Amino acid sequence: MTTQVPGDSLVSLTAVNKHYGQLHVLKDINLNVRKGEVVVVIGPSGSGKSTLCRAINRLETIEDGTISIDGKVLPSEGKELAQLRADVGMVFQSFNLFAHKTILENVTLGPIKVKGVAKTTADKDAMALLERVGVGHQAPKLPAQLSGGQQQRVAIARALAMKPKVMLFDEPTSALDPEMINEVLDVMVQLAKEGMTMIVVTHEMGFARKAADRVVFMADGQIVEDATPEEFFTNPKSDRAKDFLSKLLTH
Amino acid sequence: MDVIIESLPLYWEGFLRTLFLSAVSGVIALVLGTLLAAARVSPVAALRGFSTVYVEILRNTPLTIAFFFAAIVLPRLGVQFAQFEVAAIIALSSYTAAFIAEAVRSGVNSVPVGQAEAARSIGMNFGQVLNLIILPQALRTVIPPLINILIALVKNSSVAGAFFVLELFGYGRQLANANGDQVITVLLGTAFFYLLLTVPLGILASTVERKVAIAR
């Protein structure tokens, strides 16, 4: 069911497989994401969508197949891998802000240590990013002093500070209280509008409808559907997707 | 009591040598132990193996054997020391490093894995992840066990007394032999000087612990 997009794909997965022991968690995954495209990955829990997202910057290893980013095959170790990761922004479910660093330091650490940007420049850029996600006034605080929604927005700023080619979001709102979900989604919608290439694993169907160019539906480690949001939500083809959507709509 | 007051210069000399042995061995052990812990969590299998074998051997054999090795076996293999202190420092620091490595490793494991993942995902290499993100956070949980290990080091340094190094316990033993009628007083004096070293370490531990406590 996967639509192979020819041409300038930024993220490209070809025949990717992964097992956790007996569990075949990624089954022959093929996926191409073009520059500027926003792809939302949805599916029931345990379907492998988080693993897929984490495999793209090799936080999860894969057994076979290839993953390439902007034409370069993801290396397995070392300096080349670190360099490639610097081009791939990642936002985690549990924020993972550096607990011993201030909000500002969280955002400047990557540019200063990985890219060798001067501290004054990094500070200035970081403040601009923090203002953009609406937490500029929190800069001198430690992560634990911020609400979940604020922490997640800082995490987005931290990833953006590396000027990534693509942003990965691994269930960015799943650990948030309901009233904080929108403040994070607003930032993500804004980012999508500005043309950032994004792969978003989420349960927020509203976001998928609003901001996605494509919806990828995963179940049991496979990509079952790959369609536009309109097509997917109004006219899902597989029984698996129909079943999933019907469960969402009943509540 | 007179014997303590009369022997104060000897006690003092022993105290200073114990302080010297503990401080030098402590610093070496902290550096070596941290390197061993880093090796233990590194992606290089050979380093992990070396660190594991080192820690298991040194941690599971008596300190006396480390001393025998440093003071008697090493010179026979052609390693000559100008003073036996050097042998004592080698024995104490290599032995203590094994315990420090284990404490630091447990501290590293106490830092949530997401911290390392976030650091890797912004392009940091192994060394940067460890030095900038993991170790600074690990240090906070590791300080109480580290101070325990250093207190044990101060006390373990008394073994050097049996290997030709006159430190606090060595002098204490000399004094006890010379004052057969006041052995208890002499030993109490010795114990007092050990407390002079170890109690402040304990106080330091609780102060530092309070200062570096971190909210999650």
Side-chain angles (χ1 to χ4, degrees):
Chain A
M1 285 299 294
T2 51
T3 38
Q4 289 288 344
V5 186
D8 53 347
S9 69
L10 188 58
V11 178
S12 169
L13 290 83
T14 316
V16 171
N17 277 288
K18 180 181 176 68
H19 289 80
Y20 282 131
Q22 289 290 311
L23 186 70
H24 199 168
V25 66
L26 294 179
K27 290 179 193 159
D28 205 26
I29 300 284
N30 291 290
L31 182 69
N32 281 294
V33 179
R34 279 171 302 171
K35 198 170 181 317
E37 209 173 16
V38 176
V39 174
V40 168
V41 184
I42 61 175
S45 42
S47 59
K49 53 195 194 305
S50 271
T51 310
L52 175 74
C53 186
R54 291 163 56 85
I56 294 172
N57 67 354
R58 211 176 160 82
L59 289 176
E60 300 284 349
T61 56
I62 55 170
E63 281 135 24
D64 54 52
T66 54
I67 298 177
S68 46
I69 306 220
D70 207 7
K72 274 177 268 178
V73 174
L74 202 59
S76 59
E77 272 303 335
K79 217 202 240 164
E80 296 77 25
L81 177 61
Q83 272 167 3
L84 210 67
R85 275 178 178 154
D87 288 337
V88 181
M90 175 99 186
V91 175
F92 300 86
Q93 182 176 352
S94 49
F95 330 135
N96 294 344
L97 292 181
F98 306 133
H100 62 308
K101 299 278 183 193
T102 64
I103 295 308
L104 184 66
E105 287 167 340
N106 262 278
V107 181
T108 58
L109 202 61
I112 292 174
K113 298 291 178 183
V114 177
K115 288 193 155 177
V117 175
K119 190 178 178 302
T120 44
T121 317
D123 280 353
K124 210 173 108 243
D125 293 350
M127 278 313 297
L129 279 169
L130 288 173
E131 294 293 349
R132 187 168 139 200
V133 298
V135 285
H137 56 294
Q138 313 278 14
K141 291 188 184 168
L142 285 169
Q145 294 170 279
L146 271 60
S147 73
Q150 291 171 328
Q151 288 194 50
Q152 194 61 299
R153 285 182 281 153
V154 174
I156 294 173
R158 174 175 68 181
L160 288 176
M162 296 302 290
K163 302 192 170 69
K165 291 174 182 161
V166 53
M167 288 277 284
L168 308 174
F169 294 82
D170 184 9
E171 302 201 22
T173 56
S174 298
L176 294 174
D177 292 337
E179 76 269 25
M180 291 171 186
I181 289 176
N182 278 333
E183 63 190 55
V184 172
L185 290 180
D186 287 346
V187 170
M188 290 167 60
V189 169
Q190 191 57 38
L191 208 54
K193 278 188 188 148
E194 288 163 18
M196 175 60 76
T197 311
M198 294 162 68
I199 298 174
V200 184
V201 174
T202 188
H203 295 290
E204 295 298 327
M205 300 304 145
F207 176 80
R209 282 176 198 273
K210 200 165 167 186
D213 296 310
R214 270 160 69 200
V215 172
V216 167
F217 176 73
M218 281 186 78
D220 304 322
Q222 283 172 308
I223 294 181
V224 180
E225 297 207 22
D226 185 343
T228 64
E230 174 144 332
E231 203 179 313
F232 176 76
F233 286 112
T234 53
N235 186 23
K237 292 185 184 64
S238 64
D239 291 341
R240 201 76 180 77
K242 281 176 194 157
D243 183 49
F244 178 76
L245 287 172
S246 70
K247 277 176 188 155
L248 286 180
L249 296 176
T250 47
H251 293 288
Chain B
M1 276 306 277
D2 287 353
V3 66
I4 295 183
I5 294 174
E6 279 163 23
S7 318
L8 268 184
L10 281 186
Y11 273 123
W12 184 243
E13 204 172 310
F15 173 82
L16 288 181
R17 190 151 300 150
T18 291
L19 181 64
F20 172 75
L21 283 181
S22 312
V24 174
S25 311
V27 170
I28 297 174
L30 280 172
V31 173
L32 186 59
T34 309
L35 289 176
L36 283 166
R40 189 73 178 265
V41 296
S42 87
V44 184
L47 286 177
R48 283 201 303 272
F50 170 78
S51 173
T52 310
V53 170
Y54 179 98
V55 167
E56 289 308 319
I57 290 178
L58 269 292
R59 192 169 64 136
N60 294 318
T61 50
L63 174 60
T64 328
I65 289 183
F67 263 97
F68 263 112
F69 210 87
I72 293 159
V73 178
L74 279 187
R76 291 219 177 150
L77 295 174
V79 187
Q80 299 296 332
F81 310 118
Q83 288 143 337
F84 276 105
E85 268 102 335
V86 180
I89 287 169
I90 291 175
L92 282 172
S93 49
S94 49
Y95 177 80
T96 308
F99 291 89
I100 288 181
E102 280 300 279
V104 173
R105 186 172 70 98
S106 76
V108 166
N109 289 341
S110 77
V111 178
V113 64
Q115 295 283 311
E117 287 183 347
R120 294 206 313 252
S121 76
I122 56 172
M124 287 190 188
N125 59 37
F126 175 75
Q128 289 173 322
V129 175
L130 203 62
N131 288 322
L132 300 173
I133 305 301
I134 306 298
L135 285 181
Q137 295 187 58
L139 198 64
R140 291 162 161 91
T141 56
V142 152
I143 281 179
L146 276 190
I147 301 269
N148 273 341
I149 293 167
L150 293 179
I151 289 174
L153 166 65
V154 171
K155 299 188 291 177
N156 285 340
S157 71
S158 68
V159 176
F163 289 86
F164 326 113
V165 180
L166 269 182
E167 41 63 79
L168 186 51
F169 188 72
Y171 278 117
R173 214 169 39 166
Q174 270 188 4
L175 283 172
N177 286 339
N179 302 278
D181 51 340
Q182 297 177 79
V183 173
I184 294 175
T185 324
V186 167
L187 288 180
L188 283 177
T190 313
F192 170 76
F193 277 97
Y194 273 107
L195 290 174
L196 219 53
L197 281 173
T198 49
V199 169
L201 271 177
I203 295 171
L204 179 72
S206 41
T207 317
V208 175
E209 207 178 334
R210 246 177 291 125
K211 273 218 167 123
V212 298
I214 189 162
R216 270 200 195 285

mmCIF file with all atom_site columns, all heavy atoms in Angstrom, chain B residues 38-58:
data_model
loop_
_atom_site.group_PDB
_atom_site.id
_atom_site.type_symbol
_atom_site.label_atom_id
_atom_site.label_alt_id
_atom_site.label_comp_id
_atom_site.label_asym_id
_atom_site.label_entity_id
_atom_site.label_seq_id
_atom_site.pdbx_PDB_ins_code
_atom_site.Cartn_x
_atom_site.Cartn_y
_atom_site.Cartn_z
_atom_site.occupancy
_atom_site.B_iso_or_equiv
_atom_site.pdbx_formal_charge
_atom_site.auth_seq_id
_atom_site.auth_comp_id
_atom_site.auth_asym_id
_atom_site.auth_atom_id
_atom_site.pdbx_PDB_model_num
ATOM 1   N N   . ALA B 1 38 ? 33.922 4.745   32.802 1.00 0.00 ? 38 ALA B N   1
ATOM 2   C CA  . ALA B 1 38 ? 33.664 5.171   31.424 1.00 0.00 ? 38 ALA B CA  1
ATOM 3   C C   . ALA B 1 38 ? 33.927 4.015   30.461 1.00 0.00 ? 38 ALA B C   1
ATOM 4   O O   . ALA B 1 38 ? 33.152 3.774   29.539 1.00 0.00 ? 38 ALA B O   1
ATOM 5   C CB  . ALA B 1 38 ? 34.536 6.377   31.067 1.00 0.00 ? 38 ALA B CB  1
ATOM 6   N N   . ALA B 1 39 ? 35.026 3.280   30.712 1.00 0.00 ? 39 ALA B N   1
ATOM 7   C CA  . ALA B 1 39 ? 35.349 2.130   29.860 1.00 0.00 ? 39 ALA B CA  1
ATOM 8   C C   . ALA B 1 39 ? 34.240 1.089   29.941 1.00 0.00 ? 39 ALA B C   1
ATOM 9   O O   . ALA B 1 39 ? 33.866 0.470   28.951 1.00 0.00 ? 39 ALA B O   1
ATOM 10  C CB  . ALA B 1 39 ? 36.682 1.520   30.278 1.00 0.00 ? 39 ALA B CB  1
ATOM 11  N N   . ARG B 1 40 ? 33.691 0.941   31.148 1.00 0.00 ? 40 ARG B N   1
ATOM 12  C CA  . ARG B 1 40 ? 32.665 -0.070  31.377 1.00 0.00 ? 40 ARG B CA  1
ATOM 13  C C   . ARG B 1 40 ? 31.376 0.204   30.611 1.00 0.00 ? 40 ARG B C   1
ATOM 14  O O   . ARG B 1 40 ? 30.663 -0.722  30.233 1.00 0.00 ? 40 ARG B O   1
ATOM 15  C CB  . ARG B 1 40 ? 32.377 -0.125  32.892 1.00 0.00 ? 40 ARG B CB  1
ATOM 16  C CG  . ARG B 1 40 ? 31.493 -1.247  33.338 1.00 0.00 ? 40 ARG B CG  1
ATOM 17  C CD  . ARG B 1 40 ? 32.229 -2.571  33.300 1.00 0.00 ? 40 ARG B CD  1
ATOM 18  N NE  . ARG B 1 40 ? 31.394 -3.648  33.767 1.00 0.00 ? 40 ARG B NE  1
ATOM 19  C CZ  . ARG B 1 40 ? 31.391 -4.105  35.006 1.00 0.00 ? 40 ARG B CZ  1
ATOM 20  N NH1 . ARG B 1 40 ? 32.179 -3.584  35.907 1.00 0.00 ? 40 ARG B NH1 1
ATOM 21  N NH2 . ARG B 1 40 ? 30.604 -5.094  35.350 1.00 0.00 ? 40 ARG B NH2 1
ATOM 22  N N   . VAL B 1 41 ? 31.078 1.482   30.350 1.00 0.00 ? 41 VAL B N   1
ATOM 23  C CA  . VAL B 1 41 ? 29.846 1.803   29.621 1.00 0.00 ? 41 VAL B CA  1
ATOM 24  C C   . VAL B 1 41 ? 30.136 2.195   28.173 1.00 0.00 ? 41 VAL B C   1
ATOM 25  O O   . VAL B 1 41 ? 29.243 2.607   27.446 1.00 0.00 ? 41 VAL B O   1
ATOM 26  C CB  . VAL B 1 41 ? 29.042 2.937   30.307 1.00 0.00 ? 41 VAL B CB  1
ATOM 27  C CG1 . VAL B 1 41 ? 28.570 2.507   31.668 1.00 0.00 ? 41 VAL B CG1 1
ATOM 28  C CG2 . VAL B 1 41 ? 29.855 4.224   30.418 1.00 0.00 ? 41 VAL B CG2 1
ATOM 29  N N   . SER B 1 42 ? 31.397 2.094   27.740 1.00 0.00 ? 42 SER B N   1
ATOM 30  C CA  . SER B 1 42 ? 31.753 2.534   26.392 1.00 0.00 ? 42 SER B CA  1
ATOM 31  C C   . SER B 1 42 ? 31.247 1.546   25.346 1.00 0.00 ? 42 SER B C   1
ATOM 32  O O   . SER B 1 42 ? 30.970 0.391   25.658 1.00 0.00 ? 42 SER B O   1
ATOM 33  C CB  . SER B 1 42 ? 33.266 2.686   26.265 1.00 0.00 ? 42 SER B CB  1
ATOM 34  O OG  . SER B 1 42 ? 33.840 1.449   25.898 1.00 0.00 ? 42 SER B OG  1
ATOM 35  N N   . PRO B 1 43 ? 31.142 2.007   24.100 1.00 0.00 ? 43 PRO B N   1
ATOM 36  C CA  . PRO B 1 43 ? 30.689 1.091   23.042 1.00 0.00 ? 43 PRO B CA  1
ATOM 37  C C   . PRO B 1 43 ? 31.776 0.100   22.608 1.00 0.00 ? 43 PRO B C   1
ATOM 38  O O   . PRO B 1 43 ? 31.495 -0.809  21.845 1.00 0.00 ? 43 PRO B O   1
ATOM 39  C CB  . PRO B 1 43 ? 30.329 2.022   21.883 1.00 0.00 ? 43 PRO B CB  1
ATOM 40  C CG  . PRO B 1 43 ? 30.817 3.380   22.229 1.00 0.00 ? 43 PRO B CG  1
ATOM 41  C CD  . PRO B 1 43 ? 31.336 3.381   23.616 1.00 0.00 ? 43 PRO B CD  1
ATOM 42  N N   . VAL B 1 44 ? 33.019 0.266   23.090 1.00 0.00 ? 44 VAL B N   1
ATOM 43  C CA  . VAL B 1 44 ? 34.108 -0.618  22.664 1.00 0.00 ? 44 VAL B CA  1
ATOM 44  C C   . VAL B 1 44 ? 34.179 -1.849  23.575 1.00 0.00 ? 44 VAL B C   1
ATOM 45  O O   . VAL B 1 44 ? 34.429 -1.726  24.775 1.00 0.00 ? 44 VAL B O   1
ATOM 46  C CB  . VAL B 1 44 ? 35.459 0.130   22.690 1.00 0.00 ? 44 VAL B CB  1
ATOM 47  C CG1 . VAL B 1 44 ? 36.572 -0.756  22.150 1.00 0.00 ? 44 VAL B CG1 1
ATOM 48  C CG2 . VAL B 1 44 ? 35.362 1.423   21.902 1.00 0.00 ? 44 VAL B CG2 1
ATOM 49  N N   . ALA B 1 45 ? 33.968 -3.016  22.987 1.00 0.00 ? 45 ALA B N   1
ATOM 50  C CA  . ALA B 1 45 ? 33.868 -4.244  23.782 1.00 0.00 ? 45 ALA B CA  1
ATOM 51  C C   . ALA B 1 45 ? 35.160 -4.533  24.549 1.00 0.00 ? 45 ALA B C   1
ATOM 52  O O   . ALA B 1 45 ? 35.120 -4.979  25.704 1.00 0.00 ? 45 ALA B O   1
ATOM 53  C CB  . ALA B 1 45 ? 33.517 -5.424  22.878 1.00 0.00 ? 45 ALA B CB  1
ATOM 54  N N   . ALA B 1 46 ? 36.323 -4.267  23.932 1.00 0.00 ? 46 ALA B N   1
ATOM 55  C CA  . ALA B 1 46 ? 37.601 -4.557  24.584 1.00 0.00 ? 46 ALA B CA  1
ATOM 56  C C   . ALA B 1 46 ? 37.760 -3.728  25.866 1.00 0.00 ? 46 ALA B C   1
ATOM 57  O O   . ALA B 1 46 ? 38.212 -4.233  26.900 1.00 0.00 ? 46 ALA B O   1
ATOM 58  C CB  . ALA B 1 46 ? 38.752 -4.270  23.628 1.00 0.00 ? 46 ALA B CB  1
ATOM 59  N N   . LEU B 1 47 ? 37.353 -2.469  25.795 1.00 0.00 ? 47 LEU B N   1
ATOM 60  C CA  . LEU B 1 47 ? 37.436 -1.611  26.975 1.00 0.00 ? 47 LEU B CA  1
ATOM 61  C C   . LEU B 1 47 ? 36.504 -2.113  28.077 1.00 0.00 ? 47 LEU B C   1
ATOM 62  O O   . LEU B 1 47 ? 36.865 -2.161  29.249 1.00 0.00 ? 47 LEU B O   1
ATOM 63  C CB  . LEU B 1 47 ? 37.065 -0.163  26.616 1.00 0.00 ? 47 LEU B CB  1
ATOM 64  C CG  . LEU B 1 47 ? 38.101 0.639   25.836 1.00 0.00 ? 47 LEU B CG  1
ATOM 65  C CD1 . LEU B 1 47 ? 37.565 2.021   25.499 1.00 0.00 ? 47 LEU B CD1 1
ATOM 66  C CD2 . LEU B 1 47 ? 39.386 0.769   26.653 1.00 0.00 ? 47 LEU B CD2 1
ATOM 67  N N   . ARG B 1 48 ? 35.295 -2.485  27.663 1.00 0.00 ? 48 ARG B N   1
ATOM 68  C CA  . ARG B 1 48 ? 34.336 -3.002  28.648 1.00 0.00 ? 48 ARG B CA  1
ATOM 69  C C   . ARG B 1 48 ? 34.908 -4.238  29.332 1.00 0.00 ? 48 ARG B C   1
ATOM 70  O O   . ARG B 1 48 ? 34.849 -4.370  30.548 1.00 0.00 ? 48 ARG B O   1
ATOM 71  C CB  . ARG B 1 48 ? 33.010 -3.366  27.966 1.00 0.00 ? 48 ARG B CB  1
ATOM 72  C CG  . ARG B 1 48 ? 32.139 -2.185  27.631 1.00 0.00 ? 48 ARG B CG  1
ATOM 73  C CD  . ARG B 1 48 ? 30.675 -2.621  27.456 1.00 0.00 ? 48 ARG B CD  1
ATOM 74  N NE  . ARG B 1 48 ? 30.504 -3.654  26.450 1.00 0.00 ? 48 ARG B NE  1
ATOM 75  C CZ  . ARG B 1 48 ? 30.319 -3.396  25.150 1.00 0.00 ? 48 ARG B CZ  1
ATOM 76  N NH1 . ARG B 1 48 ? 30.288 -2.155  24.724 1.00 0.00 ? 48 ARG B NH1 1
ATOM 77  N NH2 . ARG B 1 48 ? 30.156 -4.382  24.293 1.00 0.00 ? 48 ARG B NH2 1
ATOM 78  N N   . GLY B 1 49 ? 35.492 -5.136  28.537 1.00 0.00 ? 49 GLY B N   1
ATOM 79  C CA  . GLY B 1 49 ? 36.049 -6.369  29.075 1.00 0.00 ? 49 GLY B CA  1
ATOM 80  C C   . GLY B 1 49 ? 37.182 -6.093  30.043 1.00 0.00 ? 49 GLY B C   1
ATOM 81  O O   . GLY B 1 49 ? 37.207 -6.628  31.156 1.00 0.00 ? 49 GLY B O   1
ATOM 82  N N   . PHE B 1 50 ? 38.108 -5.215  29.651 1.00 0.00 ? 50 PHE B N   1
ATOM 83  C CA  . PHE B 1 50 ? 39.238 -4.893  30.510 1.00 0.00 ? 50 PHE B CA  1
ATOM 84  C C   . PHE B 1 50 ? 38.746 -4.346  31.852 1.00 0.00 ? 50 PHE B C   1
ATOM 85  O O   . PHE B 1 50 ? 39.174 -4.774  32.917 1.00 0.00 ? 50 PHE B O   1
ATOM 86  C CB  . PHE B 1 50 ? 40.148 -3.855  29.835 1.00 0.00 ? 50 PHE B CB  1
ATOM 87  C CG  . PHE B 1 50 ? 41.192 -3.299  30.760 1.00 0.00 ? 50 PHE B CG  1
ATOM 88  C CD1 . PHE B 1 50 ? 42.331 -4.045  31.063 1.00 0.00 ? 50 PHE B CD1 1
ATOM 89  C CD2 . PHE B 1 50 ? 41.020 -2.063  31.376 1.00 0.00 ? 50 PHE B CD2 1
ATOM 90  C CE1 . PHE B 1 50 ? 43.292 -3.548  31.931 1.00 0.00 ? 50 PHE B CE1 1
ATOM 91  C CE2 . PHE B 1 50 ? 41.967 -1.566  32.256 1.00 0.00 ? 50 PHE B CE2 1
ATOM 92  C CZ  . PHE B 1 50 ? 43.109 -2.308  32.540 1.00 0.00 ? 50 PHE B CZ  1
ATOM 93  N N   . SER B 1 51 ? 37.813 -3.382  31.764 1.00 0.00 ? 51 SER B N   1
ATOM 94  C CA  . SER B 1 51 ? 37.309 -2.744  32.973 1.00 0.00 ? 51 SER B CA  1
ATOM 95  C C   . SER B 1 51 ? 36.642 -3.765  33.901 1.00 0.00 ? 51 SER B C   1
ATOM 96  O O   . SER B 1 51 ? 36.854 -3.754  35.112 1.00 0.00 ? 51 SER B O   1
ATOM 97  C CB  . SER B 1 51 ? 36.334 -1.639  32.591 1.00 0.00 ? 51 SER B CB  1
ATOM 98  O OG  . SER B 1 51 ? 35.722 -1.109  33.728 1.00 0.00 ? 51 SER B OG  1
ATOM 99  N N   . THR B 1 52 ? 35.846 -4.645  33.301 1.00 0.00 ? 52 THR B N   1
ATOM 100 C CA  . THR B 1 52 ? 35.143 -5.648  34.112 1.00 0.00 ? 52 THR B CA  1
ATOM 101 C C   . THR B 1 52 ? 36.139 -6.556  34.833 1.00 0.00 ? 52 THR B C   1
ATOM 102 O O   . THR B 1 52 ? 36.021 -6.785  36.038 1.00 0.00 ? 52 THR B O   1
ATOM 103 C CB  . THR B 1 52 ? 34.227 -6.507  33.211 1.00 0.00 ? 52 THR B CB  1
ATOM 104 O OG1 . THR B 1 52 ? 33.440 -5.631  32.410 1.00 0.00 ? 52 THR B OG1 1
ATOM 105 C CG2 . THR B 1 52 ? 33.324 -7.396  34.042 1.00 0.00 ? 52 THR B CG2 1
ATOM 106 N N   . VAL B 1 53 ? 37.131 -7.046  34.087 1.00 0.00 ? 53 VAL B N   1
ATOM 107 C CA  . VAL B 1 53 ? 38.106 -7.954  34.679 1.00 0.00 ? 53 VAL B CA  1
ATOM 108 C C   . VAL B 1 53 ? 38.883 -7.249  35.790 1.00 0.00 ? 53 VAL B C   1
ATOM 109 O O   . VAL B 1 53 ? 39.046 -7.777  36.897 1.00 0.00 ? 53 VAL B O   1
ATOM 110 C CB  . VAL B 1 53 ? 39.063 -8.496  33.583 1.00 0.00 ? 53 VAL B CB  1
ATOM 111 C CG1 . VAL B 1 53 ? 40.238 -9.239  34.202 1.00 0.00 ? 53 VAL B CG1 1
ATOM 112 C CG2 . VAL B 1 53 ? 38.299 -9.390  32.625 1.00 0.00 ? 53 VAL B CG2 1
ATOM 113 N N   . TYR B 1 54 ? 39.329 -6.027  35.519 1.00 0.00 ? 54 TYR B N   1
ATOM 114 C CA  . TYR B 1 54 ? 40.079 -5.264  36.521 1.00 0.00 ? 54 TYR B CA  1
ATOM 115 C C   . TYR B 1 54 ? 39.264 -5.119  37.805 1.00 0.00 ? 54 TYR B C   1
ATOM 116 O O   . TYR B 1 54 ? 39.726 -5.428  38.901 1.00 0.00 ? 54 TYR B O   1
ATOM 117 C CB  . TYR B 1 54 ? 40.432 -3.878  35.960 1.00 0.00 ? 54 TYR B CB  1
ATOM 118 C CG  . TYR B 1 54 ? 41.187 -3.007  36.946 1.00 0.00 ? 54 TYR B CG  1
ATOM 119 C CD1 . TYR B 1 54 ? 42.563 -2.900  36.891 1.00 0.00 ? 54 TYR B CD1 1
ATOM 120 C CD2 . TYR B 1 54 ? 40.520 -2.305  37.954 1.00 0.00 ? 54 TYR B CD2 1
ATOM 121 C CE1 . TYR B 1 54 ? 43.266 -2.127  37.803 1.00 0.00 ? 54 TYR B CE1 1
ATOM 122 C CE2 . TYR B 1 54 ? 41.205 -1.535  38.870 1.00 0.00 ? 54 TYR B CE2 1
ATOM 123 C CZ  . TYR B 1 54 ? 42.572 -1.440  38.795 1.00 0.00 ? 54 TYR B CZ  1
ATOM 124 O OH  . TYR B 1 54 ? 43.253 -0.678  39.712 1.00 0.00 ? 54 TYR B OH  1
ATOM 125 N N   . VAL B 1 55 ? 38.025 -4.637  37.636 1.00 0.00 ? 55 VAL B N   1
ATOM 126 C CA  . VAL B 1 55 ? 37.196 -4.368  38.813 1.00 0.00 ? 55 VAL B CA  1
ATOM 127 C C   . VAL B 1 55 ? 36.933 -5.653  39.594 1.00 0.00 ? 55 VAL B C   1
ATOM 128 O O   . VAL B 1 55 ? 37.059 -5.683  40.821 1.00 0.00 ? 55 VAL B O   1
ATOM 129 C CB  . VAL B 1 55 ? 35.862 -3.700  38.398 1.00 0.00 ? 55 VAL B CB  1
ATOM 130 C CG1 . VAL B 1 55 ? 34.869 -3.696  39.547 1.00 0.00 ? 55 VAL B CG1 1
ATOM 131 C CG2 . VAL B 1 55 ? 36.115 -2.280  37.913 1.00 0.00 ? 55 VAL B CG2 1
ATOM 132 N N   . GLU B 1 56 ? 36.619 -6.729  38.869 1.00 0.00 ? 56 GLU B N   1
ATOM 133 C CA  . GLU B 1 56 ? 36.286 -7.973  39.577 1.00 0.00 ? 56 GLU B CA  1
ATOM 134 C C   . GLU B 1 56 ? 37.495 -8.511  40.349 1.00 0.00 ? 56 GLU B C   1
ATOM 135 O O   . GLU B 1 56 ? 37.362 -8.978  41.474 1.00 0.00 ? 56 GLU B O   1
ATOM 136 C CB  . GLU B 1 56 ? 35.764 -9.027  38.594 1.00 0.00 ? 56 GLU B CB  1
ATOM 137 C CG  . GLU B 1 56 ? 34.365 -8.708  38.055 1.00 0.00 ? 56 GLU B CG  1
ATOM 138 C CD  . GLU B 1 56 ? 33.348 -8.422  39.158 1.00 0.00 ? 56 GLU B CD  1
ATOM 139 O OE1 . GLU B 1 56 ? 33.357 -9.120  40.190 1.00 0.00 ? 56 GLU B OE1 1
ATOM 140 O OE2 . GLU B 1 56 ? 32.560 -7.472  39.007 1.00 0.00 ? 56 GLU B OE2 1
ATOM 141 N N   . ILE B 1 57 ? 38.683 -8.441  39.750 1.00 0.00 ? 57 ILE B N   1
ATOM 142 C CA  . ILE B 1 57 ? 39.869 -8.966  40.439 1.00 0.00 ? 57 ILE B CA  1
ATOM 143 C C   . ILE B 1 57 ? 40.208 -8.121  41.660 1.00 0.00 ? 57 ILE B C   1
ATOM 144 O O   . ILE B 1 57 ? 40.358 -8.635  42.770 1.00 0.00 ? 57 ILE B O   1
ATOM 145 C CB  . ILE B 1 57 ? 41.085 -9.029  39.475 1.00 0.00 ? 57 ILE B CB  1
ATOM 146 C CG1 . ILE B 1 57 ? 40.852 -10.131 38.441 1.00 0.00 ? 57 ILE B CG1 1
ATOM 147 C CG2 . ILE B 1 57 ? 42.373 -9.306  40.254 1.00 0.00 ? 57 ILE B CG2 1
ATOM 148 C CD1 . ILE B 1 57 ? 41.950 -10.244 37.414 1.00 0.00 ? 57 ILE B CD1 1
ATOM 149 N N   . LEU B 1 58 ? 40.307 -6.808  41.493 1.00 0.00 ? 58 LEU B N   1
ATOM 150 C CA  . LEU B 1 58 ? 40.735 -5.957  42.598 1.00 0.00 ? 58 LEU B CA  1
ATOM 151 C C   . LEU B 1 58 ? 39.685 -5.885  43.704 1.00 0.00 ? 58 LEU B C   1
ATOM 152 O O   . LEU B 1 58 ? 40.012 -5.817  44.886 1.00 0.00 ? 58 LEU B O   1
ATOM 153 C CB  . LEU B 1 58 ? 41.030 -4.538  42.086 1.00 0.00 ? 58 LEU B CB  1
ATOM 154 C CG  . LEU B 1 58 ? 42.458 -4.217  41.637 1.00 0.00 ? 58 LEU B CG  1
ATOM 155 C CD1 . LEU B 1 58 ? 43.403 -4.227  42.830 1.00 0.00 ? 58 LEU B CD1 1
ATOM 156 C CD2 . LEU B 1 58 ? 42.977 -5.158  40.576 1.00 0.00 ? 58 LEU B CD2 1
#
